[in-house]
Amino acid sequence: PSAARAQSPAPAPAAPAPRPAARPADVATPDAVIAALYDVISGPAGQARDWDRLRSLFAPGARMVPVLPRGEGGFAAVQLSPDDYIRRSGEMLTRFGFTERELARRTERFGNVVHAWSSYEGRFTAPGAPRAEPLRGINSIQLTSDGARWYVLSITWEAERPGLTIPPEYLRPAP
């Protein structure tokens, strides 16, 4: 028998928080879900966010995936659950205030599957925030419907940086 088989199993990951019931208006259409996503993370410094509302927008197993530069070069797609995102960013959004708004959207739909390219602009609003200038980028949002409501399956996003700016076609509504 190998030593690997003799070791005890790795501890199970922390169980996700129970998914609360969604507000019917938040999940009635893809547009409503996307509006709720932007609304729930936005607010002034000191205002707690409604993290149960955020959780309610996502399907079980959904992912939030920022694409970030790595210190040693290249990029990494960081796989987060909604709860991981809340643990990672929630306190900072509340402490420094943050507002994010949609600049433009391009949407494609086939039946109960929707893909939206949602260009955004976000900004921290309190003094001492980690960044004073606006932060812009694109969210790639995948949604699905079970016939009763819409769910976010995944959001992948990347922010602008030197050498990468939002193309003009993603800053105006699709025809």
Side-chain angles (χ1 to χ4, degrees):
S2 75
R5 282 190 225 143
Q7 293 177 353
S8 61
R19 194 176 65 244
R23 298 176 186 178
D26 281 352
V27 295
T29 65
D31 289 342
V33 173
I34 293 169
L37 283 168
Y38 282 107
D39 185 54
V40 77
I41 67 165
S42 295
Q47 177 183 307
R49 304 309 193 260
D50 185 348
W51 295 125
D52 280 346
R53 184 179 182 205
L54 179 78
R55 288 180 186 100
S56 77
L57 303 173
F58 288 84
R63 307 310 288 162
M64 299 177 78
V65 186
V67 177
L68 304 170
R70 292 190 312 220
E72 66 275 6
F75 297 87
V78 180
Q79 303 274 330
L80 305 171
S81 69
D83 286 322
D84 294 334
Y85 175 82
I86 293 164
R87 280 189 293 275
R88 181 180 170 136
S89 301
E91 191 272 329
M92 182 175 60
L93 297 177
T94 300
R95 181 169 15 130
F96 294 113
F98 185 77
T99 59
E100 189 171 78
R101 67 183 181 97
E102 186 174 52
L103 299 172
R105 184 184 323 153
R106 301 172 69 87
T107 305
E108 296 177 338
R109 179 175 177 172
F110 182 76
N112 293 302
V113 176
V114 168
H115 179 224
W117 292 100
S118 177
S119 302
Y120 65 84
E121 179 180 86
R123 66 178 63 235
F124 290 98
T125 58
R131 181 182 174 115
E133 65 277 0
L135 177 67
R136 296 185 346 153
I138 298 180
N139 291 313
S140 170
I141 306 169
Q142 293 72 45
L143 303 110
T144 190
S145 174
D146 62 5
R149 60 156 289 178
W150 286 89
Y151 293 89
V152 175
L153 294 172
S154 69
I155 303 173
T156 301
W157 69 93
E158 188 166 9
E160 287 184 318
R161 61 180 179 281
L164 180 67
T165 57
I166 299 173
E169 62 269 25
Y170 289 94
L171 289 171
R172 59 181 174 265

